[in-house]
Amino acid sequence: MDPRLIRRVRLWDRLATIVITGGGLFTIICVIGILLLIMEVAVPLFLPPSAGLDETVIPPAGIHPQESIAVGLGEYNDNAYLIQRNGSVVFLDVDTGSIVTTHQVLRPDGKAGLVRHSDSFGRLIHSLMWSDGSLSLVQVQFPVSFDQGANRIIGHEVAVLGESPPPAGVPKTLLGIARYQQDAGGTYLRVLANGRLHISKEVIKRNIFGVVTKSEVSGSLDLGLNSPVTALVADENGKKAYLGTADGHLLWVDIEDPAAARLLDNVEATNGATITALGLLLGDFTVVVGDAQGGLAGWFPLVDPADTSASLELIHPLQPHQSAIVALAPSLRSKTMASLAADGSLQFNQLTTERHLLNLEADGGLRLMSINLRANGVAGMDQDG
């Protein structure tokens, strides 16, 4: 046989051996890398939750901690904000604690006023109840843009999504909240001094030519209560609301049609303890009830398709606090609810598994808190500001 042919065959054999061996080793390395990546993602799921203090911000002069009624955190944990009783939204740089900018929110009549109650939901949307009974819906926004050097620039804006002046000819508003659904307008709920629930809703219609018309429908419902309403929450769609009372009753109200609002159920939820906080879990079906004794529980609305009867059922008892619940905040990523108590303790519970996840405590005791949109950061204000 030709020696040159033999040398050529042996050369190709050696090259094939190198390629096959190298390919095999590369495949093994890739598989090991994939397994390590899976372990990196999966192993933390089996570890206990943990959290650490990232930044402590001391509000600068001019910010009075006791005048703050809400706190919030940007999506990337680098910007925080405070809502003050005078309606101002103060943006803070988390790294330096300095004021970035301030936006002033006015009452629906264009005048300055005092905010008596604040309620938050969705993507940094806040419902503000003013001292005159009017309601405002504002959304805190952090728009992102880039300069010519491709550097990220984060804006600080406050958008007014809706407003509702005090309805004429009705008693004083004791407690009020608002909800907003894009392209559907706002829903405004007021608990009146005469014990009725007043509902007003914007109706937005668009014809085939793109012309938009707005109108408002309203109605009220006699709740028939012997005890004052102490907590109020509603879903973002403006279809159902829940009310808690001083004697521990939980009410479920259909508010989809304000003119035909009806009470669906009224249950004793806390064995007589005052309901101090209500919150809706992600999906707006499960309502979490917090009471003056620190109790926490998840209730679920059920409708029997056979006779269309409706009822509230206790489905998730949760680990209680040692003092009254003052605030609830749902995660927008999971079925987790954060609860803040009067003693400043903050805890997280996963409702589906009824698992207690985490306790957080600040040295001064928290009095305000919120979860960011990614559910990987918490902002809180302690008693000292």
Side-chain angles (χ1 to χ4, degrees), residues 231-280:
L232 174 63
V233 73
D235 65 349
E236 291 189 40
N237 294 329
K239 294 183 178 181
K240 53 182 178 289
Y242 301 92
L243 301 90
T245 68
D247 60 359
H249 282 256
L250 176 64
L251 286 71
W252 174 22
V253 180
D254 178 2
I255 59 171
E256 185 170 8
D257 181 0
R262 59 194 180 103
L263 179 64
L264 297 177
D265 199 12
N266 181 347
V267 297
E268 187 172 345
T270 61
N271 294 321
T274 298
I275 294 178
T276 53
L278 294 173
L280 285 170

mmCIF file of all heavy atoms in Angstrom, residues 231-280:
data_model
loop_
_atom_site.group_PDB
_atom_site.id
_atom_site.type_symbol
_atom_site.label_atom_id
_atom_site.label_comp_id
_atom_site.label_asym_id
_atom_site.label_seq_id
_atom_site.Cartn_x
_atom_site.Cartn_y
_atom_site.Cartn_z
ATOM 1 N N ALA A 231 -62.275 49.582 58.351
ATOM 2 C CA ALA A 231 -61.354 49.234 57.259
ATOM 3 C C ALA A 231 -62.151 49.029 55.985
ATOM 4 O O ALA A 231 -63.300 48.561 56.022
ATOM 5 C CB ALA A 231 -60.551 47.979 57.598
ATOM 6 N N LEU A 232 -61.530 49.357 54.857
ATOM 7 C CA LEU A 232 -62.211 49.292 53.562
ATOM 8 C C LEU A 232 -61.189 48.971 52.482
ATOM 9 O O LEU A 232 -60.099 49.537 52.455
ATOM 10 C CB LEU A 232 -62.886 50.637 53.270
ATOM 11 C CG LEU A 232 -63.536 50.850 51.904
ATOM 12 C CD1 LEU A 232 -64.690 49.891 51.682
ATOM 13 C CD2 LEU A 232 -64.018 52.297 51.780
ATOM 14 N N VAL A 233 -61.540 48.038 51.591
ATOM 15 C CA VAL A 233 -60.681 47.703 50.463
ATOM 16 C C VAL A 233 -61.564 47.285 49.299
ATOM 17 O O VAL A 233 -62.710 46.848 49.497
ATOM 18 C CB VAL A 233 -59.684 46.574 50.844
ATOM 19 C CG1 VAL A 233 -60.393 45.225 50.944
ATOM 20 C CG2 VAL A 233 -58.534 46.490 49.858
ATOM 21 N N ALA A 234 -61.055 47.437 48.077
ATOM 22 C CA ALA A 234 -61.813 47.057 46.879
ATOM 23 C C ALA A 234 -60.846 46.544 45.827
ATOM 24 O O ALA A 234 -59.647 46.846 45.856
ATOM 25 C CB ALA A 234 -62.606 48.246 46.337
ATOM 26 N N ASP A 235 -61.369 45.748 44.877
ATOM 27 C CA ASP A 235 -60.521 45.250 43.800
ATOM 28 C C ASP A 235 -60.301 46.340 42.758
ATOM 29 O O ASP A 235 -61.017 47.329 42.705
ATOM 30 C CB ASP A 235 -61.119 43.987 43.180
ATOM 31 C CG ASP A 235 -62.441 44.244 42.471
ATOM 32 O OD1 ASP A 235 -62.995 45.345 42.632
ATOM 33 O OD2 ASP A 235 -62.927 43.346 41.768
ATOM 34 N N GLU A 236 -59.263 46.152 41.924
ATOM 35 C CA GLU A 236 -58.908 47.176 40.942
ATOM 36 C C GLU A 236 -59.979 47.351 39.881
ATOM 37 O O GLU A 236 -60.113 48.426 39.285
ATOM 38 C CB GLU A 236 -57.570 46.827 40.284
ATOM 39 C CG GLU A 236 -56.377 46.933 41.208
ATOM 40 C CD GLU A 236 -55.060 46.795 40.475
ATOM 41 O OE1 GLU A 236 -54.940 47.349 39.366
ATOM 42 O OE2 GLU A 236 -54.161 46.126 40.992
ATOM 43 N N ASN A 237 -60.767 46.320 39.617
ATOM 44 C CA ASN A 237 -61.800 46.396 38.588
ATOM 45 C C ASN A 237 -63.049 47.139 39.057
ATOM 46 O O ASN A 237 -63.946 47.390 38.255
ATOM 47 C CB ASN A 237 -62.193 44.992 38.132
ATOM 48 C CG ASN A 237 -61.059 44.279 37.430
ATOM 49 O OD1 ASN A 237 -60.225 44.910 36.790
ATOM 50 N ND2 ASN A 237 -60.999 42.961 37.564
ATOM 51 N N GLY A 238 -63.113 47.444 40.338
ATOM 52 C CA GLY A 238 -64.278 48.147 40.852
ATOM 53 C C GLY A 238 -65.534 47.301 40.838
ATOM 54 O O GLY A 238 -66.630 47.808 40.596
ATOM 55 N N LYS A 239 -65.396 45.998 41.120
ATOM 56 C CA LYS A 239 -66.558 45.105 41.095
ATOM 57 C C LYS A 239 -66.974 44.622 42.477
ATOM 58 O O LYS A 239 -68.146 44.336 42.698
ATOM 59 C CB LYS A 239 -66.276 43.899 40.201
ATOM 60 C CG LYS A 239 -66.124 44.258 38.729
ATOM 61 C CD LYS A 239 -65.927 43.013 37.873
ATOM 62 C CE LYS A 239 -65.836 43.371 36.398
ATOM 63 N NZ LYS A 239 -65.675 42.166 35.542
ATOM 64 N N LYS A 240 -66.010 44.523 43.401
ATOM 65 C CA LYS A 240 -66.363 44.065 44.738
ATOM 66 C C LYS A 240 -65.551 44.821 45.776
ATOM 67 O O LYS A 240 -64.407 45.220 45.535
ATOM 68 C CB LYS A 240 -66.172 42.554 44.889
ATOM 69 C CG LYS A 240 -64.812 42.022 44.493
ATOM 70 C CD LYS A 240 -64.766 40.517 44.628
ATOM 71 C CE LYS A 240 -63.429 39.928 44.204
ATOM 72 N NZ LYS A 240 -63.215 39.986 42.757
ATOM 73 N N ALA A 241 -66.160 45.015 46.925
ATOM 74 C CA ALA A 241 -65.520 45.720 48.025
ATOM 75 C C ALA A 241 -65.714 44.930 49.305
ATOM 76 O O ALA A 241 -66.672 44.157 49.443
ATOM 77 C CB ALA A 241 -66.102 47.129 48.177
ATOM 78 N N TYR A 242 -64.797 45.127 50.230
ATOM 79 C CA TYR A 242 -64.868 44.475 51.541
ATOM 80 C C TYR A 242 -64.722 45.540 52.617
ATOM 81 O O TYR A 242 -63.887 46.449 52.498
ATOM 82 C CB TYR A 242 -63.760 43.425 51.675
ATOM 83 C CG TYR A 242 -63.817 42.348 50.626
ATOM 84 C CD1 TYR A 242 -63.098 42.466 49.440
ATOM 85 C CD2 TYR A 242 -64.600 41.213 50.802
ATOM 86 C CE1 TYR A 242 -63.154 41.478 48.465
ATOM 87 C CE2 TYR A 242 -64.671 40.219 49.831
ATOM 88 C CZ TYR A 242 -63.936 40.362 48.675
ATOM 89 O OH TYR A 242 -64.002 39.387 47.710
ATOM 90 N N LEU A 243 -65.537 45.404 53.659
ATOM 91 C CA LEU A 243 -65.506 46.349 54.760
ATOM 92 C C LEU A 243 -65.335 45.594 56.070
ATOM 93 O O LEU A 243 -65.901 44.503 56.247
ATOM 94 C CB LEU A 243 -66.790 47.187 54.816
ATOM 95 C CG LEU A 243 -67.138 48.037 53.582
ATOM 96 C CD1 LEU A 243 -67.998 47.240 52.604
ATOM 97 C CD2 LEU A 243 -67.883 49.297 54.005
ATOM 98 N N GLY A 244 -64.551 46.163 56.976
ATOM 99 C CA GLY A 244 -64.385 45.599 58.306
ATOM 100 C C GLY A 244 -64.942 46.552 59.343
ATOM 101 O O GLY A 244 -64.905 47.773 59.162
ATOM 102 N N THR A 245 -65.459 46.017 60.436
ATOM 103 C CA THR A 245 -66.118 46.844 61.436
ATOM 104 C C THR A 245 -65.417 46.743 62.790
ATOM 105 O O THR A 245 -64.575 45.875 63.024
ATOM 106 C CB THR A 245 -67.592 46.435 61.604
ATOM 107 O OG1 THR A 245 -67.641 45.120 62.198
ATOM 108 C CG2 THR A 245 -68.308 46.414 60.261
ATOM 109 N N ALA A 246 -65.812 47.640 63.687
ATOM 110 C CA ALA A 246 -65.222 47.675 65.020
ATOM 111 C C ALA A 246 -65.593 46.461 65.856
ATOM 112 O O ALA A 246 -64.893 46.148 66.822
ATOM 113 C CB ALA A 246 -65.652 48.960 65.732
ATOM 114 N N ASP A 247 -66.687 45.778 65.526
ATOM 115 C CA ASP A 247 -67.065 44.577 66.280
ATOM 116 C C ASP A 247 -66.666 43.293 65.560
ATOM 117 O O ASP A 247 -67.161 42.208 65.891
ATOM 118 C CB ASP A 247 -68.557 44.576 66.595
ATOM 119 C CG ASP A 247 -69.426 44.599 65.340
ATOM 120 O OD1 ASP A 247 -68.869 44.627 64.224
ATOM 121 O OD2 ASP A 247 -70.663 44.593 65.477
ATOM 122 N N GLY A 248 -65.769 43.389 64.563
ATOM 123 C CA GLY A 248 -65.185 42.206 63.944
ATOM 124 C C GLY A 248 -65.950 41.592 62.800
ATOM 125 O O GLY A 248 -65.674 40.444 62.419
ATOM 126 N N HIS A 249 -66.884 42.317 62.201
ATOM 127 C CA HIS A 249 -67.636 41.774 61.065
ATOM 128 C C HIS A 249 -66.949 42.137 59.749
ATOM 129 O O HIS A 249 -66.435 43.244 59.579
ATOM 130 C CB HIS A 249 -69.069 42.303 61.074
ATOM 131 C CG HIS A 249 -69.943 41.607 62.062
ATOM 132 N ND1 HIS A 249 -70.881 40.671 61.716
ATOM 133 C CD2 HIS A 249 -70.009 41.688 63.411
ATOM 134 C CE1 HIS A 249 -71.505 40.215 62.774
ATOM 135 N NE2 HIS A 249 -70.986 40.823 63.835
ATOM 136 N N LEU A 250 -66.974 41.187 58.823
ATOM 137 C CA LEU A 250 -66.423 41.369 57.484
ATOM 138 C C LEU A 250 -67.568 41.333 56.481
ATOM 139 O O LEU A 250 -68.333 40.362 56.439
ATOM 140 C CB LEU A 250 -65.410 40.267 57.171
ATOM 141 C CG LEU A 250 -64.806 40.266 55.755
ATOM 142 C CD1 LEU A 250 -63.975 41.519 55.511
ATOM 143 C CD2 LEU A 250 -63.943 39.014 55.548
ATOM 144 N N LEU A 251 -67.685 42.389 55.681
ATOM 145 C CA LEU A 251 -68.773 42.508 54.706
ATOM 146 C C LEU A 251 -68.225 42.416 53.295
ATOM 147 O O LEU A 251 -67.155 42.971 52.988
ATOM 148 C CB LEU A 251 -69.508 43.843 54.865
ATOM 149 C CG LEU A 251 -70.452 44.018 56.053
ATOM 150 C CD1 LEU A 251 -69.678 44.130 57.371
ATOM 151 C CD2 LEU A 251 -71.322 45.258 55.863
ATOM 152 N N TRP A 252 -68.966 41.728 52.447
ATOM 153 C CA TRP A 252 -68.635 41.588 51.017
ATOM 154 C C TRP A 252 -69.756 42.245 50.228
ATOM 155 O O TRP A 252 -70.925 41.864 50.351
ATOM 156 C CB TRP A 252 -68.489 40.109 50.679
ATOM 157 C CG TRP A 252 -68.299 39.790 49.224
ATOM 158 C CD1 TRP A 252 -67.838 40.610 48.245
ATOM 159 C CD2 TRP A 252 -68.562 38.528 48.592
ATOM 160 N NE1 TRP A 252 -67.786 39.949 47.044
ATOM 161 C CE2 TRP A 252 -68.224 38.675 47.232
ATOM 162 C CE3 TRP A 252 -69.028 37.293 49.055
ATOM 163 C CZ2 TRP A 252 -68.363 37.631 46.326
ATOM 164 C CZ3 TRP A 252 -69.157 36.268 48.147
ATOM 165 C CH2 TRP A 252 -68.827 36.431 46.797
ATOM 166 N N VAL A 253 -69.404 43.253 49.412
ATOM 167 C CA VAL A 253 -70.402 44.057 48.704
ATOM 168 C C VAL A 253 -70.120 44.026 47.209
ATOM 169 O O VAL A 253 -68.975 44.213 46.777
ATOM 170 C CB VAL A 253 -70.402 45.524 49.208
ATOM 171 C CG1 VAL A 253 -71.446 46.338 48.467
ATOM 172 C CG2 VAL A 253 -70.651 45.579 50.704
ATOM 173 N N ASP A 254 -71.167 43.801 46.426
ATOM 174 C CA ASP A 254 -71.090 43.875 44.966
ATOM 175 C C ASP A 254 -71.286 45.332 44.559
ATOM 176 O O ASP A 254 -72.348 45.906 44.795
ATOM 177 C CB ASP A 254 -72.185 42.991 44.358
ATOM 178 C CG ASP A 254 -72.199 43.054 42.839
ATOM 179 O OD1 ASP A 254 -71.348 43.742 42.250
ATOM 180 O OD2 ASP A 254 -73.080 42.420 42.231
ATOM 181 N N ILE A 255 -70.244 45.946 43.961
ATOM 182 C CA ILE A 255 -70.311 47.367 43.593
ATOM 183 C C ILE A 255 -70.192 47.569 42.083
ATOM 184 O O ILE A 255 -69.966 48.684 41.629
ATOM 185 C CB ILE A 255 -69.204 48.165 44.306
ATOM 186 C CG1 ILE A 255 -67.824 47.606 43.938
ATOM 187 C CG2 ILE A 255 -69.401 48.151 45.817
ATOM 188 C CD1 ILE A 255 -66.664 48.459 44.415
ATOM 189 N N GLU A 256 -70.346 46.485 41.304
ATOM 190 C CA GLU A 256 -70.163 46.608 39.859
ATOM 191 C C GLU A 256 -71.131 47.624 39.262
ATOM 192 O O GLU A 256 -70.753 48.429 38.406
ATOM 193 C CB GLU A 256 -70.331 45.250 39.189
ATOM 194 C CG GLU A 256 -70.039 45.274 37.699
ATOM 195 C CD GLU A 256 -69.963 43.892 37.086
ATOM 196 O OE1 GLU A 256 -70.294 42.900 37.783
ATOM 197 O OE2 GLU A 256 -69.579 43.788 35.907
ATOM 198 N N ASP A 257 -72.371 47.601 39.707
ATOM 199 C CA ASP A 257 -73.371 48.590 39.285
ATOM 200 C C ASP A 257 -73.723 49.432 40.503
ATOM 201 O O ASP A 257 -74.426 48.966 41.400
ATOM 202 C CB ASP A 257 -74.612 47.888 38.741
ATOM 203 C CG ASP A 257 -75.670 48.876 38.257
ATOM 204 O OD1 ASP A 257 -75.435 50.102 38.338
ATOM 205 O OD2 ASP A 257 -76.749 48.417 37.821
ATOM 206 N N PRO A 258 -73.217 50.670 40.580
ATOM 207 C CA PRO A 258 -73.462 51.481 41.778
ATOM 208 C C PRO A 258 -74.941 51.652 42.108
ATOM 209 O O PRO A 258 -75.311 51.718 43.291
ATOM 210 C CB PRO A 258 -72.818 52.822 41.422
ATOM 211 C CG PRO A 258 -71.775 52.490 40.407
ATOM 212 C CD PRO A 258 -72.349 51.357 39.614
ATOM 213 N N ALA A 259 -75.779 51.718 41.089
ATOM 214 C CA ALA A 259 -77.205 51.918 41.333
ATOM 215 C C ALA A 259 -77.886 50.663 41.869
ATOM 216 O O ALA A 259 -78.993 50.736 42.401
ATOM 217 C CB ALA A 259 -77.900 52.377 40.050
ATOM 218 N N ALA A 260 -77.217 49.509 41.728
ATOM 219 C CA ALA A 260 -77.806 48.249 42.207
ATOM 220 C C ALA A 260 -76.837 47.519 43.126
ATOM 221 O O ALA A 260 -76.796 46.290 43.139
ATOM 222 C CB ALA A 260 -78.186 47.378 41.017
ATOM 223 N N ALA A 261 -76.066 48.275 43.893
ATOM 224 C CA ALA A 261 -75.103 47.656 44.819
ATOM 225 C C ALA A 261 -75.848 46.797 45.832
ATOM 226 O O ALA A 261 -76.951 47.133 46.277
ATOM 227 C CB ALA A 261 -74.304 48.741 45.527
ATOM 228 N N ARG A 262 -75.255 45.676 46.214
ATOM 229 C CA ARG A 262 -75.920 44.778 47.153
ATOM 230 C C ARG A 262 -74.913 44.099 48.065
ATOM 231 O O ARG A 262 -73.772 43.838 47.678
ATOM 232 C CB ARG A 262 -76.752 43.723 46.406
ATOM 233 C CG ARG A 262 -75.963 42.862 45.459
ATOM 234 C CD ARG A 262 -76.844 42.089 44.501
ATOM 235 N NE ARG A 262 -76.075 41.263 43.576
ATOM 236 C CZ ARG A 262 -75.927 39.950 43.692
ATOM 237 N NH1 ARG A 262 -76.499 39.304 44.710
ATOM 238 N NH2 ARG A 262 -75.229 39.268 42.825
ATOM 239 N N LEU A 263 -75.348 43.831 49.268
ATOM 240 C CA LEU A 263 -74.533 43.132 50.255
ATOM 241 C C LEU A 263 -74.620 41.636 49.979
ATOM 242 O O LEU A 263 -75.703 41.049 50.013
ATOM 243 C CB LEU A 263 -75.021 43.463 51.668
ATOM 244 C CG LEU A 263 -74.285 42.779 52.823
ATOM 245 C CD1 LEU A 263 -72.835 43.226 52.876
ATOM 246 C CD2 LEU A 263 -74.989 43.069 54.142
ATOM 247 N N LEU A 264 -73.470 41.010 49.729
ATOM 248 C CA LEU A 264 -73.449 39.592 49.410
ATOM 249 C C LEU A 264 -73.299 38.721 50.649
ATOM 250 O O LEU A 264 -73.857 37.627 50.716
ATOM 251 C CB LEU A 264 -72.313 39.294 48.432
ATOM 252 C CG LEU A 264 -72.412 39.985 47.056
ATOM 253 C CD1 LEU A 264 -71.198 39.676 46.216
ATOM 254 C CD2 LEU A 264 -73.688 39.556 46.339
ATOM 255 N N ASP A 265 -72.509 39.185 51.625
ATOM 256 C CA ASP A 265 -72.340 38.394 52.842
ATOM 257 C C ASP A 265 -71.817 39.276 53.964
ATOM 258 O O ASP A 265 -71.174 40.312 53.728
ATOM 259 C CB ASP A 265 -71.372 37.226 52.600
ATOM 260 C CG ASP A 265 -71.515 36.136 53.667
ATOM 261 O OD1 ASP A 265 -72.495 36.195 54.436
ATOM 262 O OD2 ASP A 265 -70.649 35.247 53.724
ATOM 263 N N ASN A 266 -72.122 38.862 55.179
ATOM 264 C CA ASN A 266 -71.675 39.547 56.390
ATOM 265 C C ASN A 266 -71.342 38.472 57.413
ATOM 266 O O ASN A 266 -72.225 37.755 57.872
ATOM 267 C CB ASN A 266 -72.769 40.489 56.904
ATOM 268 C CG ASN A 266 -72.354 41.249 58.149
ATOM 269 O OD1 ASN A 266 -71.348 40.945 58.800
ATOM 270 N ND2 ASN A 266 -73.132 42.263 58.505
ATOM 271 N N VAL A 267 -70.045 38.321 57.729
ATOM 272 C CA VAL A 267 -69.625 37.261 58.641
ATOM 273 C C VAL A 267 -68.852 37.861 59.811
ATOM 274 O O VAL A 267 -68.233 38.922 59.688
ATOM 275 C CB VAL A 267 -68.734 36.223 57.923
ATOM 276 C CG1 VAL A 267 -69.503 35.532 56.814
ATOM 277 C CG2 VAL A 267 -67.470 36.866 57.370
ATOM 278 N N GLU A 268 -68.908 37.173 60.940
ATOM 279 C CA GLU A 268 -68.087 37.565 62.082
ATOM 280 C C GLU A 268 -66.726 36.911 61.888
ATOM 281 O O GLU A 268 -66.578 35.686 61.984
ATOM 282 C CB GLU A 268 -68.720 37.122 63.394
ATOM 283 C CG GLU A 268 -67.983 37.644 64.611
ATOM 284 C CD GLU A 268 -68.717 37.360 65.900
ATOM 285 O OE1 GLU A 268 -69.913 37.009 65.842
ATOM 286 O OE2 GLU A 268 -68.086 37.475 66.967
ATOM 287 N N ALA A 269 -65.695 37.747 61.645
ATOM 288 C CA ALA A 269 -64.409 37.222 61.189
ATOM 289 C C ALA A 269 -63.340 37.144 62.271
ATOM 290 O O ALA A 269 -62.359 36.411 62.105
ATOM 291 C CB ALA A 269 -63.886 38.082 60.039
ATOM 292 N N THR A 270 -63.504 37.877 63.365
ATOM 293 C CA THR A 270 -62.389 37.991 64.320
ATOM 294 C C THR A 270 -62.809 37.743 65.764
ATOM 295 O O THR A 270 -62.102 38.163 66.685
ATOM 296 C CB THR A 270 -61.750 39.379 64.215
ATOM 297 O OG1 THR A 270 -62.742 40.365 64.542
ATOM 298 C CG2 THR A 270 -61.210 39.644 62.821
ATOM 299 N N ASN A 271 -63.944 37.097 65.978
ATOM 300 C CA ASN A 271 -64.425 36.842 67.344
ATOM 301 C C ASN A 271 -64.571 38.122 68.151
ATOM 302 O O ASN A 271 -64.257 38.177 69.349
ATOM 303 C CB ASN A 271 -63.489 35.875 68.079
ATOM 304 C CG ASN A 271 -63.487 34.487 67.459
ATOM 305 O OD1 ASN A 271 -64.533 33.991 67.034
ATOM 306 N ND2 ASN A 271 -62.310 33.875 67.380
ATOM 307 N N GLY A 272 -65.026 39.159 67.499
ATOM 308 C CA GLY A 272 -65.315 40.408 68.187
ATOM 309 C C GLY A 272 -64.211 41.427 68.188
ATOM 310 O O GLY A 272 -64.425 42.581 68.574
ATOM 311 N N ALA A 273 -62.996 41.052 67.774
ATOM 312 C CA ALA A 273 -61.890 42.013 67.735
ATOM 313 C C ALA A 273 -62.077 42.986 66.574
ATOM 314 O O ALA A 273 -62.537 42.611 65.488
ATOM 315 C CB ALA A 273 -60.559 41.282 67.593
ATOM 316 N N THR A 274 -61.726 44.228 66.790
ATOM 317 C CA THR A 274 -61.860 45.251 65.750
ATOM 318 C C THR A 274 -60.991 44.917 64.546
ATOM 319 O O THR A 274 -59.801 44.598 64.686
ATOM 320 C CB THR A 274 -61.449 46.629 66.291
ATOM 321 O OG1 THR A 274 -62.324 46.993 67.361
ATOM 322 C CG2 THR A 274 -61.525 47.687 65.210
ATOM 323 N N ILE A 275 -61.577 44.974 63.355
ATOM 324 C CA ILE A 275 -60.806 44.783 62.125
ATOM 325 C C ILE A 275 -60.076 46.088 61.826
ATOM 326 O O ILE A 275 -60.699 47.132 61.644
ATOM 327 C CB ILE A 275 -61.716 44.378 60.956
ATOM 328 C CG1 ILE A 275 -62.323 42.989 61.217
ATOM 329 C CG2 ILE A 275 -60.936 44.373 59.638
ATOM 330 C CD1 ILE A 275 -63.281 42.514 60.154
ATOM 331 N N THR A 276 -58.759 46.025 61.804
ATOM 332 C CA THR A 276 -57.947 47.227 61.647
ATOM 333 C C THR A 276 -57.310 47.366 60.274
ATOM 334 O O THR A 276 -56.832 48.451 59.926
ATOM 335 C CB THR A 276 -56.835 47.240 62.712
ATOM 336 O OG1 THR A 276 -56.121 45.998 62.655
ATOM 337 C CG2 THR A 276 -57.427 47.405 64.103
ATOM 338 N N ALA A 277 -57.267 46.295 59.491
ATOM 339 C CA ALA A 277 -56.647 46.366 58.164
ATOM 340 C C ALA A 277 -57.226 45.283 57.270
ATOM 341 O O ALA A 277 -57.503 44.172 57.720
ATOM 342 C CB ALA A 277 -55.129 46.217 58.263
ATOM 343 N N LEU A 278 -57.388 45.625 55.996
ATOM 344 C CA LEU A 278 -57.836 44.688 54.978
ATOM 345 C C LEU A 278 -56.909 44.803 53.773
ATOM 346 O O LEU A 278 -56.476 45.902 53.413
ATOM 347 C CB LEU A 278 -59.276 44.978 54.541
ATOM 348 C CG LEU A 278 -60.381 44.774 55.573
ATOM 349 C CD1 LEU A 278 -61.712 45.263 55.014
ATOM 350 C CD2 LEU A 278 -60.489 43.311 55.983
ATOM 351 N N GLY A 279 -56.630 43.673 53.134
ATOM 352 C CA GLY A 279 -55.796 43.687 51.946
ATOM 353 C C GLY A 279 -56.187 42.569 51.005
ATOM 354 O O GLY A 279 -56.599 41.490 51.448
ATOM 355 N N LEU A 280 -56.069 42.823 49.706
ATOM 356 C CA LEU A 280 -56.394 41.817 48.695
ATOM 357 C C LEU A 280 -55.109 41.222 48.142
ATOM 358 O O LEU A 280 -54.189 41.943 47.753
ATOM 359 C CB LEU A 280 -57.216 42.433 47.569
ATOM 360 C CG LEU A 280 -58.679 42.728 47.911
ATOM 361 C CD1 LEU A 280 -59.327 43.551 46.805
ATOM 362 C CD2 LEU A 280 -59.457 41.442 48.128
#
